[in-house]
Amino acid sequence: MRASVPKEPSIHQLRLYLTLSEELHFGRAAARLFITQPALSQQIRELEKRLGVPVVERTSRTITLTEAGQALLPEARAAVAAVDRLRHVADAQLRQTSGRLVVGTMGAEASMAHTRAVLGLLQTRHPGTTVQLVDLGLGDHLAALAQQEVDVVFLRPPVTDDIELHHLATEPRVACLPAGHPLAALPRLTLAQLSGVPVVSMPEQVPRLWWDFWAVDPRPDGSRVRYGPLVTDMESLLYTVAAGEAMCFLPAAARDYFPRPGIRYLDVVDLSPSTSALAWLRRRRSESTIKAIRHAAHEATRQGLTDAR
């Protein structure tokens, strides 16, 4: 009789295992997963049965990963990430066939004249296209595009090489300083005057290319920027600045869209401007809905509809 071959583990079981590996406690992991502790324990035992090796050492109070559990951890992460990517690509293709376009925006881009102009022309030229706007966190825009969670993004460059852009508008960048900072009393600044003032920091997953531009790191004299507290969205950024813990550089439109107590925006005379652009993945440029919004962006630019805020 042929020996039975263990079943392959399910992606669901691998997700449970990854959560358990982070919590190292069945109760906390089960609460985080919104399932009962016995159900989680049963699924982990079934995973071990299917893998043929124990992945956790159980004690009365806590658990630890076995040597096999440690070795399997990166492979489990990779398998779950691969399935997530597969799902995102499938969803993107489904959107194409159904005429649905997911449009990412960041900061105040959804309110800008160029965004409204492009989306208005898209709806006029392609009334059957359904547009879903998604507000993306600071620095999440490139990952959302790469993982096909969104189809296009209205963003502020720079971007990575796998992304194409259509330029929509240009405007100055300004310094965003705590109102109580000595430099905030000046009418305008230079980058040299801002040397040594800490800049808010971004999470590790934010592409360095993008944040180096917005932090102006390095400075024109070659000096590196000193970073302050980590921020993850616009409100935490503005709070950190208002609290006097760091500064940042933002598009000049921030004066209108993000006025806050405790913050002052100042012109920086030797700071290069920022641009606004529509972005899409190079390999997806010919897909129908993406082609449609690309053409709308070109038409809006030709008609001069993207110049004003």
Side-chain angles (χ1 to χ4, degrees):
M1 182 180 293
R2 201 161 58 180
S4 62
V5 178
K7 294 180 181 178
E8 293 180 351
S10 70
I11 291 297
H12 175 63
Q13 289 169 340
L14 293 178
R15 291 187 194 278
L16 300 183
Y17 166 54
L18 290 177
T19 302
L20 183 60
S21 74
E22 293 169 3
E23 296 294 340
L24 293 178
H25 189 281
F26 274 101
R28 290 194 300 268
R32 184 172 150 191
L33 291 162
F34 299 101
I35 61 176
T36 65
Q37 186 171 330
L40 174 59
S41 183
Q42 181 181 352
Q43 285 294 321
I44 295 300
R45 281 196 298 270
E46 179 62 24
L47 172 66
E48 292 175 322
K49 181 179 176 182
R50 294 186 179 194
L51 290 172
V53 291
V55 296
V56 294
E57 289 278 2
R58 298 164 175 82
T59 68
S60 58
R61 292 182 176 272
T62 60
I63 65 166
T64 57
L65 295 183
T66 64
E67 186 176 341
Q70 290 281 5
L72 291 167
L73 202 54
E75 304 304 326
R77 290 194 187 105
V80 170
V83 169
D84 287 342
R85 288 194 301 271
L86 178 68
R87 184 70 264 168
H88 291 320
V89 172
D91 288 344
Q93 293 307 304
L94 178 61
R95 292 196 297 270
Q96 288 298 309
T97 58
S98 62
R100 187 164 68 93
L101 184 72
V102 179
V103 177
T105 66
M106 57 180 298
E109 289 300 301
S111 302
M112 297 291 185
H114 50 261
T115 303
R116 299 196 307 271
V118 172
L119 293 180
L121 280 171
L122 175 67
Q123 295 286 266
T124 299
R125 302 290 183 263
H126 302 273
T129 299
T130 302
V131 174
Q132 177 187 352
L133 279 179
V134 177
D135 184 30
L136 302 172
L138 278 179
D140 291 340
H141 54 302
L142 299 184
L145 200 55
Q147 294 166 12
Q148 300 188 40
E149 295 171 8
V150 297
D151 301 307
V152 297
V153 181
F154 288 96
L155 51 66
R156 301 283 175 148
V159 297
T160 50
D161 291 341
D162 58 335
I163 295 171
E164 291 183 335
L165 298 173
H166 176 77
H167 171 81
L168 293 168
T170 300
E171 68 175 308
R173 285 185 287 172
V174 296
C176 177
L177 281 168
H181 195 283
L183 293 175
L186 300 178
R188 64 191 61 82
L189 299 171
T190 65
L191 285 170
Q193 288 174 299
L194 292 165
S195 176
V197 181
V199 175
V200 294
S201 181
M202 287 281 151
E204 287 183 5
Q205 63 267 28
V206 174
R208 202 66 249 171
L209 165 82
W210 187 74
W211 193 237
D212 281 349
F213 172 81
W214 283 99
V216 195
D217 188 10
R219 297 294 162 85
D221 63 1
S223 62
R224 305 300 303 197
V225 167
R226 182 162 64 93
Y227 287 98
L230 183 77
V231 300
T232 56
D233 54 35
M234 186 59 71
E235 288 305 321
S236 64
L237 179 150
L238 296 170
Y239 174 84
T240 299
V241 174
E245 299 179 63
M247 65 153 294
C248 66
F249 297 101
L250 292 173
R255 285 187 167 115
D256 299 324
Y257 289 102
F258 300 113
R260 293 291 188 280
I263 284 177
R264 178 132 191 254
Y265 294 103
L266 292 102
D267 294 332
V268 182
V269 296
D270 54 346
L271 181 61
S272 63
S274 70
T275 60
S276 294
L278 177 69
W280 59 88
L281 286 178
R282 188 184 306 276
R283 66 179 181 273
R284 298 187 63 199
R285 71 186 324 270
S286 298
E287 294 180 16
S288 57
T289 54
I290 295 175
K291 183 186 288 187
I293 195 170
R294 287 198 298 109
H295 290 172
H298 281 281
E299 185 176 352
T301 303
R302 282 198 307 272
Q303 294 183 18
L305 301 176
T306 62
D307 296 333
R309 283 186 201 165

